[in-house]
Amino acid sequence: MAKNISTFEIFWVFSSITLIASLGILFIWVPTDANLGISQKIFYLHVPSAILGMISIAIVAFLSILYLLNTEKKKWDDLAYSFSEVGMVFLTIALISGSLWSKPAWGVWWTWEPKLTLTLVLWFIYVAYLMMRSYMSGSGNEAKFGSVVALIGAIDAPLIYYATELWRSAHPGAVVGPNAESGALDERMFFGLIASFIALSFMFIYFVSNRYFLRSTETRMNFIVRKLN
């Protein structure tokens, strides 16, 4: 009897294919930076991870608001929690890869310039959100207090994006297109960045959907246990 292929398995295969394809594009077709050499390839992991980490906290805040407007719809809170976990993982990748890139580019592992500092603040906001949800689990108020933390993170995210325009910063500005003045990217580098972003986005969605399935199952189980008690 043939085994039924789940949606998760299909999406995992699709995510893996796009990731492998993007790696091929980055290391075969995209040119190596003349100044930074191979270390510049970290850029294609760092930037998409940072963007996804910032987008994720905005989604967490939006889903938290939806849940507060209708607390009977527990799925909104489960989705918010799932996005927060995966978002924190991607932002952690952004911070680590950023440090690895910073050393050959600036000569230091870390500098307290505005964009990096605000990104670290967002990371701590993710930590605060997850810790609060964990310690207040079962109280019935964890989602409400967590939504306040998520809203603070949603305010911090656009500040990170526009930090290079609001304050003097050593960090390069946002790349808006090939050969953009702020990023000065070669055309092939820009499209390599797009390919990397698409691949990591599919991976991000896969992790969120998988985590949401587990989280919603946990919610249903906890509901059944409370009813039995």
Side-chain angles (χ1 to χ4, degrees):
M1 185 177 179
K3 177 186 175 182
N4 292 326
I5 301 175
S6 69
T7 304
F8 291 129
E9 290 173 324
I10 294 174
F11 209 80
W12 172 252
V13 170
F14 189 71
S15 301
S16 301
I17 291 173
T18 56
L19 184 60
I20 293 171
S22 69
L23 289 174
I25 291 172
L26 294 177
F27 286 96
I28 297 174
W29 184 66
V30 173
T32 302
D33 186 83
N35 297 318
L36 297 177
I38 195 68
S39 65
Q40 190 267 343
K41 301 292 185 181
I42 301 173
F43 168 82
Y44 303 106
L45 171 66
H46 171 69
V47 174
S49 298
I51 293 174
L52 290 169
M54 289 188 291
I55 291 175
S56 183
I57 195 65
I59 295 174
V60 173
F62 176 71
L63 292 171
S64 297
I65 292 172
L66 290 180
Y67 173 72
L68 292 176
L69 293 174
N70 186 359
T71 55
E72 296 299 320
K73 294 287 186 179
K74 187 64 177 173
K75 67 177 182 179
W76 300 129
D77 183 54
D78 290 339
L79 265 175
Y81 192 87
S82 302
F83 268 99
S84 68
E85 287 189 328
V86 179
M88 181 181 176
V89 170
F90 274 74
L91 196 67
T92 302
I93 293 172
L95 286 171
I96 295 173
S97 60
S99 294
L100 294 173
W101 186 25
S102 175
K103 182 62 176 176
W106 300 338
V108 293
W109 294 106
W110 180 267
T111 178
W112 292 100
E113 60 99 40
K115 200 177 191 76
L116 297 184
T117 303
L118 288 170
T119 303
L120 183 62
V121 168
L122 181 58
W123 186 83
F124 278 113
I125 289 173
Y126 270 119
V127 172
Y129 178 88
L130 293 171
M131 286 182 65
M132 183 177 293
R133 296 298 304 264
S134 178
Y135 286 122
M136 296 185 68
S137 179
S139 66
N141 294 318
E142 63 269 21
K144 297 178 182 178
F145 285 101
S147 64
V148 175
V149 177
L151 287 171
I152 297 173
I155 295 171
D156 184 51
L159 289 177
I160 297 172
Y161 186 81
Y162 290 107
T164 52
E165 298 177 18
L166 296 173
W167 300 283
R168 292 187 61 183
S169 173
H171 200 283
V175 178
V176 294
N179 299 318
E181 184 179 348
S182 57
L185 277 184
D186 173 89
E187 186 175 84
R188 284 184 291 173
M189 288 181 177
F190 175 73
F191 287 109
L193 176 62
I194 295 299
S196 178
F197 180 76
I198 291 172
L200 288 175
S201 295
F202 280 122
M203 193 69 69
F204 180 90
I205 295 170
Y206 166 77
F207 286 137
V208 170
S209 60
N210 202 0
R211 186 63 188 95
Y212 172 67
F213 173 77
L214 295 174
R215 179 69 181 178
S216 58
T217 301
E218 292 170 6
T219 299
R220 289 193 296 269
M221 291 299 296
N222 290 334
F223 177 77
I224 293 172
V225 170
R226 285 197 299 270
K227 284 294 184 180
L228 291 176
N229 292 336

